[in-house]
């Protein structure tokens, strides 16, 4: 069985009672701290290992009180409530071996057994050129986590002042890892900051709160395999050092797999 980069980077050492140790690793590194998508994937891994094995991932709602630096972490996963079909979990990250460490990251996850429904609606998928027909995005100057993905630009160039800060980009796991909930959680935060599409000056920022809502089911992941996903990003407001960011994640078959929303600060 192949060893994929994301699975290696989300390995956790059980400490008992829903506690885990995560060894410092910069495989999914941003410019000065850990990639947010890695933190989301790690939270899901902790929940699955702590006993939340049943049900599909429905949502993750996270806050980022502090940056995740290259130091060992202690994760605590606790089930807040278990109902007949739905479970509510919380995962908190603190520095390992540091007494009274402040909260660095917190994620609330909802897992549920999906049920059949006669009502169905999905907004229309964008009509775009195929992955192979789009130019490769040069991520050589980007953060380290980008090396795990092959990106192809459909629309939107960073460090430009667009009339609207939207973008479309194909994203594929470079090592061919098939898509699943953990892979989707990780790539969901791969959207470039919307302020990159509103100004020619490089302005760094940081996510404050983040939400991921998952519509993909087992059949969708099986159909997607390791094919590229289409990432559609947009924003409604950028002002006073704050911006919102909305994202839709599509399969090549035009299935809406997930949507994201976040609020971030920028300088």
């Amino acid at each position: 069985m192949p060893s994929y980069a994301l699975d290696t980077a989300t390995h956790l050492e059980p400490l008992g009672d829903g506690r885990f140790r995560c060894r410092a690793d910069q495989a999914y590194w941003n410019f000065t701290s850990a990639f947010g998508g890695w933190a989301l994937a790690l939270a899901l891994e902790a929940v699955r290992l702590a006993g939340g094995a049943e049900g599909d991932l429905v949502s993750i709602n996270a806050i980022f009180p502090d940056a995740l630096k290259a130091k060992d972490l202690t994760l605590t996963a606790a089930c807040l409530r278990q109902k007949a079909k739905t479970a509510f979990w919380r995962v908190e990250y603190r520095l390992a071996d540091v007494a009274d460490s402040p909260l660095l990251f917190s994620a609330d996850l909802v897992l549920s057994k999906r049920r059949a429904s006669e009502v169905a609606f999905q907004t229309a998928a964008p009509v775009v050129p195929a992955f192979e027909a789009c130019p490769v995005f040069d991520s050589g100057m980007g953060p380290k986590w980008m090396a795990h993905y092959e990106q192809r630009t459909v629309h939107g160039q960073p460090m430009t002042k667009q009339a609207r800060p939207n973008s479309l980009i194909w994203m594929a796991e470079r090592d061919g890892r098939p898509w699943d909930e953990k892979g989707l959680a990780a790539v969901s935060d791969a959207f470039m900051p919307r302020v990159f599409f509103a100004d020619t000056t490089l302005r760094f920022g940081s996510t404050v709160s983040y939400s991921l809502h998952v519509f993909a089911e087992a059949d969708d992941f099986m159909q997607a395999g390791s094919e590229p996903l289409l990432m559609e990003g947009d924003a409604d407001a950028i002002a006073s050092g704050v911006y919102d960011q909305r994202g839709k994640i599509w399969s090549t078959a035009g299935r809406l797999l997930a949507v994201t929303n976040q609020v971030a600060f920028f300088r």
Side-chain angles (χ1 to χ4, degrees):
M1 185 174 181
S3 177
Y4 296 111
L6 181 62
D7 298 313
T8 300
T10 53
H11 175 72
L12 292 171
E13 300 174 17
L15 302 176
D17 298 324
R19 298 175 64 250
F20 303 90
R21 189 183 189 99
C22 176
R23 298 291 178 179
D25 187 349
Q26 294 189 24
Y28 282 80
W29 196 245
N30 215 329
F31 288 106
T32 58
S33 59
F35 169 47
W38 169 82
L40 298 168
L42 197 65
L44 178 59
E45 184 75 2
V47 167
R48 294 303 191 191
L49 292 176
E54 295 187 0
D56 298 327
L57 176 65
V58 175
S59 70
I60 303 178
N61 291 285
I63 57 172
F64 294 73
D66 209 338
L68 297 174
K69 298 297 186 179
K71 297 180 180 180
D72 284 9
L73 300 171
T74 298
L75 278 64
T76 303
C79 183
L80 304 179
R81 178 126 184 234
Q82 176 70 58
K83 302 180 74 175
K85 293 183 179 292
T86 305
F88 299 83
W89 285 78
R90 177 167 295 161
V91 184
E92 296 183 347
Y93 295 28
R94 288 181 167 82
L95 289 173
D97 305 322
V98 175
D100 300 321
S101 167
L103 178 70
L104 304 178
F105 174 85
S106 177
D108 288 349
L109 293 83
V110 178
L111 311 174
S112 187
K113 298 176 183 178
R114 300 184 189 268
R115 64 188 72 188
S117 171
E118 295 179 357
V119 179
F121 167 79
Q122 176 186 289
T123 188
V127 178
V128 300
F131 175 82
E132 296 78 7
C134 297
V136 176
F137 177 79
D138 182 9
S139 59
M141 298 297 290
K144 194 171 182 179
W145 66 262
M146 280 190 173
H148 297 292
Y149 300 100
E150 180 178 353
Q151 302 181 62
R152 303 255 181 152
T153 303
V154 179
H155 164 74
Q157 293 294 331
M159 303 303 103
T160 61
K161 192 170 184 178
Q162 299 181 178
R164 183 176 184 88
N166 58 355
S167 63
L168 282 164
I169 194 163
W170 284 110
M171 188 84 67
E173 290 271 14
R174 199 173 290 278
D175 62 5
R177 185 183 187 277
W179 295 108
D180 59 7
E181 292 174 332
K182 186 164 67 171
L184 186 64
V187 80
S188 73
D189 196 32
F191 294 94
M192 291 188 193
R194 292 302 96 188
V195 70
F196 282 14
F197 301 91
D199 196 7
T200 56
T201 301
L202 179 61
R203 299 182 184 276
F204 290 105
S206 56
T207 302
V208 180
S209 63
Y210 184 94
S211 295
L212 169 67
H213 306 285
V214 179
F215 303 106
E217 301 181 49
D219 289 347
D220 296 310
F221 288 120
M222 185 175 297
Q223 183 177 9
S226 56
E227 293 181 347
L229 302 183
L230 182 64
M231 315 283 287
E232 180 184 8
D234 207 342
D236 289 311
I238 302 174
S240 303
V242 180
Y243 67 85
D244 82 303
Q245 180 162 288
R246 296 180 284 107
K248 295 186 180 78
I249 305 176
W250 303 89
S251 72
T252 54
R255 166 73 165 152
L256 182 60
L257 303 180
V259 299
T260 74
N261 293 276
Q262 67 173 280
V263 172
F265 296 153
F266 70 92
R267 305 176 189 77

